[in-house]
Every structure is written in structure tokens, then in C-alpha cells.
């Protein structure tokens, strides 16, 4: 088993498509297919179901994906540790962020980082809060940026920003009380999302059980939730960063709930080697907060 085989397997598994993975990994389709076939043949375990023209991970494939990511993460850390001795003249930085941060808060900061350190390649993955924490924990990412609370003793976390949350709908309402909260049709993010967990925590603090909400749709992205609300499917609580343009254009209206700001947190593993590139990015963010 080689690191290249693991790299190709992870690429194919994440996309569930050999051709797309081959293009991203800069290998031929036959090389990608061959690497997966070699792993399956060597151990006599199918990693993918072949369904028509598509592929899907088997149970063994899902388990192997987690282990393969961890191995690649450790190998990348070893390479980064050696490269780091050359300072910030070259190298890479792997980070993961939840959707709101990756789409609206982080890009400007990454652009500033690139201006200072143009030879450092930044690789950004997007996951919800739980998934981002898992990637930092496994070593697949060196830094994580999330909205939700993360209770993991192995991870250090600190506040890097504040995010106003707002209740939005298609039509204005005069008053929001508990009866309104119960009868409104809610469009929410999936479980594990920082946006959803923050909203539910606010409701609990106010003595309202989130289970009493009438959830019309559960959607996997902020943009999908916003679009559904704009279409009149219901109401939702989202970051002001996500809905700012829609509010300005009149496509959405802010409803009177009075939500507190939530914190954006950075995450890193307490025991893993910390690169100069990671320190440089966190220092830049601190400068902008100060």
C-alpha cells in the first residue's frame, strides 16, 4: 500500500467519481482506476459499489476512508515539519472551516495572508462544525474555524471574531412570541451545523424547547436555506453575513427576535506540531481583530 494509492482512493471517495478525481489529482483516469483496483485486489475487499455508471462507498470503503485520511494527514504533517525549517519561503497550510466562515468571513483574511506569504499554498476544506473539529483532531487539517461550540479536550480553541445572527422571513411580522415560534414554518440547517446549534442554544436559554419548532425543511447549506426563505417556504435564523445582500435588496426582511452575536472560534490540536504558516495566519487574524 502506497501513499499515492491512499491519496487517489481519498480523492475518488470524496467525489464518488473516478474521472473528476483524476482531473483534480492530475493523474490519468486509468491510473486512478488502477490504484483503487490494486487496493481492492490486494486485500480482497471491495471499496466501492459499482451502480450503473456511478460508484458508492461500501461499508469497508467508508471505514477505510477515515483511516486513509488520518494516514495522509500524518504524512503531510511530517513533510510540513521538515519544510517549515525553510521558514515561510515555501510550504502549505491545510485549514478547514464551516460554511459561513469559509464563504463570507475567511476569504478576505486568506487574501491578506497570500499578499504577505505568496509562496505558501493554502488548502481550504469546508465542513460543518462537527466535521471541522474531526478533521483537526485527525490531522487532516492544521487549523479549523467554526461557529459552534466544540467540547474536545485535545483541541485548543479561541475566539477570532463575532457574527450577528438574525431571524429572517419573506414577509414582515409585528411581534414574535412563543406561539409564533411554534406555528411558524422553519427552514433549518442539518444537525452538526454551528448555525443550527447556536440558534437552538438561544431558544433553550430563553426557556423554549427547540423540539416545539415546526421544521418544514432541513437543508445542507446557508445558501439553500436563504433561497428557500426568499421563495416563501418559511423563516430561518442565519448569519447577517449570509443575508446582508438579500436584506438590502428587499428580498428578505429582518424579524424582531433580538438574537445575540455568536463567536467564531479557531481550532488547533494541542499536541501536534504547529507550523510557522499556521502561526502567521493566526497572527494576521489577531491583528485584524485588535
Amino acid at each position: 500500500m502506497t501513499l499515492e494509492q491512499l491519496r487517489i482512493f481519498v480523492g475518488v471517495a470524496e467525489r464518488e467519481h473516478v474521472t473528476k478525481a483524476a482531473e483534480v489529482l492530475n493523474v490519468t483516469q486509468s491510473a486512478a482506476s488502477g490504484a483503487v483496483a490494486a487496493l481492492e485486489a490486494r486485500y480482497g475487499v471491495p471499496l466501492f459499489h459499482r451502480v450503473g455508471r456511478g460508484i458508492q462507498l461500501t461499508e469497508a470503503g467508508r471505514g477505510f476512508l477515515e483511516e486513509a485520511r488520518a494516514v495522509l494527514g500524518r504524512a503531510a504533517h511530517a513533510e510540513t515539519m521538515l519544510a517549515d525549517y525553510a521558514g515561510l519561503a515555501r510550504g502549505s497550510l491545510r485549514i478547514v472551516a464551516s460554511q459561513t466562515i469559509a464563504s463570507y468571513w475567511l476569504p478576505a483574511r486568506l487574501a491578506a495572508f497570500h499578499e504577505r506569504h505568496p509562496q505558501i499554498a493554502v488548502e481550504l476544506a469546508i465542513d460543518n462544525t462537527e466535521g471541522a473539529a474531526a478533521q483537526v483532531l485527525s490531522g487532516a487539517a492544521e487549523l479549523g474555524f467554526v461557529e459552534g461550540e466544540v467540547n474536545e479536550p485535545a483541541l485548543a480553541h479561541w475566539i477570532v471574531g463575532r457574527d450577528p445572527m438574525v431571524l429572517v422571513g419573506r414577509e414582515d411580522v409585528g411581534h414574535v412570541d412563543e406561539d409564533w415560534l411554534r406555528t411558524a414554518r422553519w427552514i433549518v440547517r442539518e444537525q452538526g451545523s454551528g448555525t443550527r446549534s447556536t440558534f437552538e442554544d438561544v431558544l433553550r436559554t430563553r426557556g423554549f424547547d427547540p423540539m416545539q419548532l415546526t421544521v418544514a425543511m432541513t437543508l445542507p447549506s446557508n445558501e439553500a436555506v436563504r433561497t428557500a426563505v426568499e421563495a416563501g417556504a418559511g423563516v430561518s435564523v442565519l448569519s447577517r453575513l449570509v443575508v446582508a445582500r438579500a436584506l438590502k435588496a428587499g428580498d428578505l426582511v429582518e424579524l424582531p427576535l433580538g438574537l445575540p452575536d455568536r463567536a467564531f472560534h479557531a481550532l488547533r490540536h494541542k499536541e501536534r506540531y504547529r507550523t510557522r504558516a499556521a502561526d502567521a495566519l493566526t497572527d494576521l487574524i489577531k491583528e485584524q481583530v485588535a
Side-chain angles (χ1 to χ4, degrees), residues 193-245:
S193 157
T195 297
R196 178 167 178 167
S197 63
T198 299
F199 173 48
E200 290 181 347
D201 287 344
V202 170
L203 292 180
R204 293 188 188 97
T205 300
R206 298 180 180 184
F208 186 91
D209 184 357
M211 294 297 292
Q212 297 182 60
L213 297 177
T214 302
V215 176
M217 297 184 193
T218 301
L219 301 175
S221 72
N222 295 318
E223 287 69 28
V225 172
R226 185 190 64 216
T227 301
V229 177
E230 289 175 353
V235 299
S236 189
V237 167
L238 289 166
S239 164
R240 187 177 292 278
L241 294 171
V242 175
V243 298
R245 290 184 180 180

Side-chain angles (χ1 to χ4, degrees), residues 81-97:
M81 180 183 291
L82 293 177
D84 202 40
Y85 284 104
L88 292 171
R90 60 185 176 85
S92 63
L93 176 61
R94 295 174 313 283
I95 60 180
V96 60

Side-chain angles (χ1 to χ4, degrees), residues 139-160:
E142 184 174 355
L143 287 174
F145 296 94
V146 300
E147 307 112 21
E149 292 289 336
V150 175
N151 297 312
E152 170 51 61
L155 298 181
H157 58 91
W158 63 99
I159 294 175
V160 292

Side-chain angles (χ1 to χ4, degrees), residues 7-30 32-33 53-55:
R7 185 177 78 97
I8 290 173
F9 165 74
V10 170
V12 173
E14 289 179 341
R15 294 163 183 83
E16 292 193 332
H17 199 286
V18 175
T19 302
K20 291 179 181 178
E23 291 174 355
V24 172
L25 298 172
N26 197 28
V27 299
T28 64
Q29 182 176 344
S30 60
S33 298
R53 292 186 176 182
I55 58 173

Side-chain angles (χ1 to χ4, degrees), residues 59-278:
E59 182 178 356
R62 287 193 297 271
F64 185 56
L65 176 59
E66 182 177 348
E67 296 298 326
R69 281 174 171 161
V71 171
L72 290 174
R74 292 297 298 166
H77 271 287
E79 181 181 15
T80 300
M81 180 183 291
L82 293 177
D84 202 40
Y85 284 104
L88 292 171
R90 60 185 176 85
S92 63
L93 176 61
R94 295 174 313 283
I95 60 180
V96 60
S98 47
Q99 285 188 9
T100 303
I101 294 175
S103 300
Y104 298 94
W105 184 84
L106 195 55
R109 289 156 178 83
L110 293 182
F113 178 79
H114 179 70
E115 284 292 319
R116 291 190 187 180
H117 309 290
Q119 301 304 314
I120 303 297
V122 176
E123 301 174 17
L124 171 63
I126 299 177
D127 210 329
N128 63 27
T129 294
E130 289 183 358
Q135 289 201 41
V136 177
L137 195 61
S138 71
E142 184 174 355
L143 287 174
F145 296 94
V146 300
E147 307 112 21
E149 292 289 336
V150 175
N151 297 312
E152 170 51 61
L155 298 181
H157 58 91
W158 63 99
I159 294 175
V160 292
R162 295 284 179 180
D163 181 36
M165 302 291 290
V166 292
L167 171 63
V168 292
R170 192 70 187 89
E171 303 293 338
D172 199 2
V173 298
H175 181 63
V176 174
D177 55 17
E178 288 194 4
D179 288 338
W180 187 92
L181 291 174
R182 290 189 189 92
T183 57
R185 292 177 302 168
W186 289 90
I187 315 298
V188 298
R189 285 284 307 278
E190 78 285 0
Q191 290 289 353
S193 157
T195 297
R196 178 167 178 167
S197 63
T198 299
F199 173 48
E200 290 181 347
D201 287 344
V202 170
L203 292 180
R204 293 188 188 97
T205 300
R206 298 180 180 184
F208 186 91
D209 184 357
M211 294 297 292
Q212 297 182 60
L213 297 177
T214 302
V215 176
M217 297 184 193
T218 301
L219 301 175
S221 72
N222 295 318
E223 287 69 28
V225 172
R226 185 190 64 216
T227 301
V229 177
E230 289 175 353
V235 299
S236 189
V237 167
L238 289 166
S239 164
R240 187 177 292 278
L241 294 171
V242 175
V243 298
R245 290 184 180 180
L247 290 172
K248 185 176 181 179
D251 296 326
L252 293 176
V253 294
E254 183 175 349
L255 306 181
L257 185 56
L259 293 163
D261 292 355
R262 64 176 172 180
F264 286 162
H265 290 87
L267 305 174
R268 67 169 177 81
H269 201 290
K270 292 179 180 178
E271 298 180 356
R272 293 188 188 278
Y273 177 76
R274 196 174 68 214
T275 65
R276 294 180 185 180

